[in-house]
Amino acid sequence: MSNEVNEGGFLTTHVLDTARGCPAEGIKIDLFKKTDDFNFVRIANSETNNDGRLSKPILSGQDFCEGRYQIIFYAKEYLQIYFNGIVENLFLEEIPVRFTITKPMEHYHVPLLLSPFGYSTYRGS
């Protein structure tokens, strides 16, 4: 896999709370890049704003290149705030999403649709 670098592509994410029907504010996010067959190194971190989005792309410019990545969404604290007492025995804590960037000229968007007992994600635009 090459390390081709391009100024045009970037990576964004957002989190929607499907149980409450609103953006999920205050979810901490870490982005990791896979360095070899076994290891990931953290390359960025951020937190969702009142629109459930990050204030800027979590990866862009010369740092945005082909490779294998992982986003970890730290959902436990958010779920405790909004569902503690409503939902017994919260289920989710950290949600890892692994993906590959193969076209560094494109926009990659990795949203998270979150509820107390499940989540989904996809490559958006």
Side-chain angles (χ1 to χ4, degrees), residues 54-85:
L54 307 181
S55 59
K56 62 181 183 175
I58 195 163
L59 189 63
S60 62
Q62 292 184 357
D63 295 328
F64 188 81
C65 58
E66 291 181 10
R68 296 170 70 188
Y69 295 85
Q70 175 176 265
I71 294 177
I72 296 181
F73 298 89
Y74 297 94
K76 181 179 180 177
E77 184 177 312
Y78 175 86
L79 294 170
Q80 285 176 328
I81 291 169
Y82 291 102
F83 295 99
N84 204 16

Side-chain angles (χ1 to χ4, degrees), residues 10-121:
F10 57 99
L11 173 65
T12 57
T13 186
H14 75 274
V15 183
L16 297 176
D17 181 333
T18 59
R20 296 175 56 229
C22 64
E25 180 179 3
I27 294 187
K28 292 177 177 62
I29 297 170
D30 282 337
L31 175 67
F32 298 83
K33 184 170 185 187
K34 195 162 192 180
T35 58
D36 58 36
D37 287 341
F38 303 104
N39 297 302
F40 283 87
V41 62
R42 188 173 84 163
I43 58 172
N45 65 319
S46 194
E47 185 173 319
T48 58
N49 61 21
N50 64 349
D51 195 30
R53 299 179 182 277
L54 307 181
S55 59
K56 62 181 183 175
I58 195 163
L59 189 63
S60 62
Q62 292 184 357
D63 295 328
F64 188 81
C65 58
E66 291 181 10
R68 296 170 70 188
Y69 295 85
Q70 175 176 265
I71 294 177
I72 296 181
F73 298 89
Y74 297 94
K76 181 179 180 177
E77 184 177 312
Y78 175 86
L79 294 170
Q80 285 176 328
I81 291 169
Y82 291 102
F83 295 99
N84 204 16
I86 298 170
V87 173
E88 202 172 309
N89 302 319
L90 289 173
F91 179 64
L92 297 170
E93 292 187 12
E94 297 173 359
I95 301 169
V97 178
R98 291 186 177 176
F99 58 95
T100 302
I101 292 174
T102 58
K103 297 180 180 181
M105 294 187 66
E106 295 186 3
H107 174 197
Y108 282 70
H109 184 66
V110 182
L112 184 74
L113 306 177
L114 177 65
S115 77
F117 295 108
Y119 64 90
S120 66
T121 188

